Amino acid sequence: MSSRRMRLGLLTLLAAAAGTSVVIITLSVLVRPEARVRWDVSSHGQAGVSERTAEALSSLPEGTRAIAFLRPEDARLTFNGNLVYPRAFARLRSLLEDARIRARGKLELIVLEEFGSPVDWTRWETDLEREPLEVLILDTPGEGRRKFIFNELFTSTDPTPDGQPARLVQERVDSALGDAAIRLVTSKPVRAGIVNGYGQPRTNAERGLRPLIRLIRSEGLDTVEVTGPDTKEEFDLLVVAGQTAPFQQGDLVAAESWISAGKPLFLALGPTAPVEVVQQWNQLLAPAGLRFDTGLVCEARPRAGALPGNSTVATLDISSSQLSGQHPATQVLAESGRAQGLLAARPLALEGGSNNYLRTSLILSSADAWADHDRDYAPSPGEARKSFPLAAAAELWQSEQPLQTGRTVTLGSVASLTGPQLPFAQEFVSGSLRWLAGQDAAPSGLVSLTSLPLRIERADQVRITNLVTLGLPGFTLLLALMVYWRRRR
């Protein structure tokens, strides 16, 4: 009898050891991301990142990091107890965690919460040169980097005049991550040549063009400063932000050759640009049908205290309805409902030009604006009120090379590109740069928030946990006791 009990005990011990070994081996395998198998059981298959994004992320080099800065920074989206940021950040956390798992160990995830360590915030913001409103940065070894502002990942409505808060309506995190990963893996960075030899604002000053250069780099572009277009430096995108002296002959010929070759150009001239400079550029841009006009666009805004006769009328509020909803440079921004701001802008004109070009007004003033010529900041009898183009774009209908599409963006304001004012026009400038670099910001991958899988609240999660860990075992034990008691009777 004792021998039988010993054999039974030994068998039980061996079975327990085997079961424990199986559990340990299974858990050690499941800990490895590449060994996990997932099923998306949400109604639209959008609980995690798509197969396309997962494949692109798994192709990233070792050491790639995704750094999320989860701190509300847009006062418009925090008005009246708004839930836009909490819902957006919850969705972003979920997708980033799924992206980390699907990246097969290639992606390190770092999430900085609003009330997290200030030391960590300062460190990462400094190392990555983060700008306001940027909520996600994808950083690869070798300085390949892609930054996302909140508006690129989520769209929301504006608060209403009757006090209704903004609402989160759509997101495009999955497609944005996939596009960024593909570009970081397959393409070399586009290089922007910043002209600084003809009276441009200083490129080494915070109140000059240094913030613009940081913004260009944050879009994944390299930068190089050049005195003019006629240089031995190689670059893919020509950026001229302000100019107070006309080009010398060599640079003039080089600029003409650049435009004739269909290479991308970002050009901003303010209302104080000399006549000779304006005439030079109008002649260079004549085939594209873009022209800088004269005057200072002004607009009275009584609610803001901007009345005729006051210089504040030169500060323009650009609503989303004044942005082109059909052009890739502004389409996402227009659909998001976000406003922009311009300071000291001259009017543009779209006229003439070759039939080889497609021309689009990117920003229009309101119909109550006027072009001030006598600098009295008030509409004179000859200064009619109408809508003026403030930014425009042109591109060739057909092109053979990705960076020889004839893409040109003109902006009638230089002050809006300098340090203090750039944040008010940052999203427009970012969209324009991406379009010029061939990274069209089309609204692909938009997902309605109503189609997303159910997100259970924390209180409900606690109830479900208690039910599973306490309720079900307790009920089973109670049932066993009842059966035992009945059998003993």
Side-chain angles (χ1 to χ4, degrees), residues 444-456:
S444 59
L446 276 174
V447 177
S448 172
L449 265 293
T450 58
S451 68
L452 294 179
L454 174 66
R455 297 295 174 192
I456 302 175

Side-chain angles (χ1 to χ4, degrees), residues 15 30 114 119 125 134 154 175 208 224 236-237 248 276 291 298 335 358 375 379 385 389 400 404 417 441 485:
L30 292 178
E114 178 181 5
V119 175
E125 286 183 320
E134 291 173 351
F154 300 95
S175 63
V224 58
D236 309 292
L237 166 63
Q248 297 294 326
E276 296 84 356
R291 184 171 65 83
C298 298
E335 291 179 354
L358 171 66
R375 298 301 171 88
R385 291 178 182 262
E400 297 180 358
Q404 292 184 3
L417 301 179
W485 180 73

Side-chain angles (χ1 to χ4, degrees), residues 81-397:
N82 202 287
L83 296 177
V84 168
Y85 274 120
R87 291 191 66 191
F89 288 166
R91 174 64 173 164
L92 186 57
R93 287 190 199 95
S94 174
L95 285 177
L96 288 177
E97 179 60 24
D98 186 67
R100 182 187 69 82
I101 295 171
R102 303 287 297 279
R104 307 291 181 185
K106 299 292 186 65
L107 183 65
E108 177 187 359
L109 177 60
I110 299 165
V111 178
L112 302 178
E113 301 287 353
E114 178 181 5
F115 300 107
S117 168
V119 175
D120 289 341
W121 273 87
T122 302
R123 171 199 165 195
W124 287 109
E125 286 183 320
T126 303
D127 289 350
L128 300 175
E129 298 182 338
R130 176 183 178 265
E131 297 290 338
L133 300 180
E134 291 173 351
V135 298
L136 179 63
I137 299 177
L138 195 62
D139 183 59
T140 62
E143 299 185 356
R145 189 175 295 167
R146 176 70 170 90
K147 300 184 178 183
F148 303 91
I149 58 178
F150 185 84
N151 179 51
E152 291 181 78
L153 303 179
F154 300 95
T155 57
S156 62
T157 61
D158 275 333
T160 60
D162 60 356
Q164 293 293 325
R167 292 184 301 105
L168 191 65
V169 292
Q170 292 176 318
E171 60 99 347
R172 57 172 67 85
V173 180
D174 176 73
S175 63
L177 272 177
D179 292 344
I182 290 172
R183 292 188 186 116
L184 288 172
V185 170
T186 60
S187 61
K188 70 173 186 177
V190 175
R191 199 179 196 195
I194 318 296
V195 176
N196 65 359
Y198 286 90
Q200 284 78 18
R202 289 192 301 164
T203 56
N204 60 351
E206 285 296 326
R207 299 186 67 85
L209 295 182
R210 180 184 290 176
L212 175 63
I213 294 176
R214 283 203 302 266
L215 178 61
I216 294 173
R217 291 172 180 168
S218 75
E219 291 301 327
L221 281 65
D222 290 339
T223 60
V224 58
E225 296 183 24
V226 296
T227 57
D230 186 19
T231 177
K232 295 181 180 179
E233 295 283 355
E234 294 185 359
F235 51 89
D236 309 292
L237 166 63
L238 180 63
V239 178
V240 182
Q243 190 173 333
T244 59
F247 280 144
Q248 297 294 326
Q249 185 62 30
D251 285 318
L252 181 61
V253 172
E256 185 176 9
S257 299
W258 184 274
I259 295 173
S260 300
K263 297 181 180 180
L265 167 67
F266 183 90
L267 172 63
L269 295 179
T272 59
V275 175
E276 296 84 356
V277 172
V278 175
Q279 289 177 344
Q280 265 191 1
W281 278 112
N282 283 346
Q283 184 175 358
L284 291 172
L285 296 175
L290 302 179
R291 184 171 65 83
F292 288 92
D293 223 328
T294 58
L296 173 69
V297 178
C298 298
E299 182 181 78
R301 293 174 290 114
R303 289 186 179 181
L307 302 174
N310 191 317
S311 61
T312 53
V313 296
T315 301
L316 307 177
D317 286 340
I318 310 299
S319 67
S320 58
S321 61
Q322 295 170 242
L323 299 167
S324 172
Q326 305 299 319
H327 196 278
T330 52
Q331 187 174 6
V332 172
L333 183 56
E335 291 179 354
S336 70
R338 291 182 57 80
Q340 298 288 277
L342 293 179
L343 174 64
R346 71 159 63 229
L348 308 181
L350 286 74
E351 57 185 29
S354 167
N355 290 331
N356 295 328
Y357 282 87
L358 171 66
R359 292 165 280 275
T360 308
S361 294
L362 299 181
I363 301 178
L364 292 171
S365 71
S366 71
D368 292 329
W370 71 92
D372 191 57
H373 296 279
D374 50 16
R375 298 301 171 88
D376 61 353
Y377 301 109
S380 302
E383 298 170 351
R385 291 178 182 262
K386 62 177 184 178
S387 181
F388 297 92
L390 304 176
E395 67 175 319
L396 291 168
W397 285 101

Side-chain angles (χ1 to χ4, degrees), residues 15-79:
T20 303
S21 300
V22 169
V23 171
I24 292 174
I25 294 172
T26 303
L27 291 178
S28 64
V29 170
L30 292 178
V31 164
R32 304 179 64 183
E34 60 270 19
R36 299 180 187 178
V37 179
R38 303 170 62 262
W39 293 275
D40 189 347
V41 296
S42 60
S43 58
H44 290 73
Q46 294 163 344
V49 297
S50 64
E51 290 298 328
R52 168 183 177 270
T53 298
E55 184 178 350
L57 290 172
S58 63
S59 301
L60 290 169
E62 294 279 355
T64 299
R65 300 173 298 188
I67 303 94
F69 298 85
L70 306 186
R71 179 170 61 193
E73 293 181 313
D74 188 345
R76 179 182 66 94
L77 299 181
T78 58
F79 173 73

